[in-house]
Amino acid sequence: RRSSDLFTVFYGERCAWWLTVRCVGNPGHGSRFIENTAAEKLYKVISSFMEFREEEKLRLESDSHLTLGDVTTVNMTKLNGGVAYNVIPSEMTATFDLRISPTVDLKAFEEKIQSWCRLAGDRKS
């Protein structure tokens, strides 16, 4: 066979999800210990995403049979919130770029993300 007769075929492609998580909390002055802030909630959500990212990275690194297309990548691409150094914002957002493996059940994965948000507390979307 000639090399021009050979084709690379992919049977699945990772699904791109771009998510923005918005957390709302108590605002206040930076000189105080304000409870239930948007930043506290967003920190919990970000931690969940980054822990999952590390799990997927380790799974890829520990199994030589896996390729990048076999795992889900997670990258935080934007953080927004606040108006001044000394003002605790009432709202903050984080945006994530996810490339989800074709073997992942998308509905179950969405439920996992929703559970991370629920664990962070009320008033987020």
Side-chain angles (χ1 to χ4, degrees):
R1 282 196 152 173
R2 298 183 322 218
S3 63
S4 62
D5 292 339
L6 301 176
F7 298 93
T8 302
V9 177
F10 296 95
Y11 62 89
E13 185 175 336
R14 291 191 298 168
C15 177
W17 279 11
W18 297 305
L19 307 177
T20 297
V21 177
R22 181 176 76 88
C23 294
V24 176
N26 294 325
H29 192 271
S31 64
R32 304 188 55 200
F33 285 115
I34 305 296
E35 297 295 327
N36 201 29
T37 66
E40 289 173 311
K41 294 173 188 177
L42 193 58
Y43 173 78
K44 292 174 185 175
V45 173
I46 291 170
S47 294
S48 295
F49 273 94
M50 300 312 280
E51 286 171 19
F52 177 76
R53 179 186 196 272
E54 189 62 24
E55 290 168 8
E56 289 293 284
K57 184 179 168 190
L58 291 174
R59 194 163 70 91
L60 176 62
E61 292 171 350
S62 66
D63 187 339
S64 63
H65 296 100
L66 294 178
T67 66
L68 190 58
D70 296 316
V71 297
T72 297
T73 57
V74 177
N75 288 290
M76 185 171 57
T77 55
K78 288 174 56 179
L79 281 173
N80 291 304
V83 295
Y85 291 112
N86 64 342
V87 177
I88 298 167
S90 61
E91 180 178 311
M92 296 187 76
T93 63
T95 300
F96 298 90
D97 179 318
L98 296 99
R99 305 300 167 110
I100 303 167
S101 169
T103 60
V104 170
D105 176 333
L106 295 179
K107 185 65 180 162
F109 191 67
E110 180 181 7
E111 289 171 5
K112 178 187 292 215
I113 292 171
Q114 289 174 350
S115 75
W116 296 340
C117 292
R118 281 191 300 274
L119 289 172
D122 64 342
R123 297 169 56 196
K124 75 246 139 261
S125 58

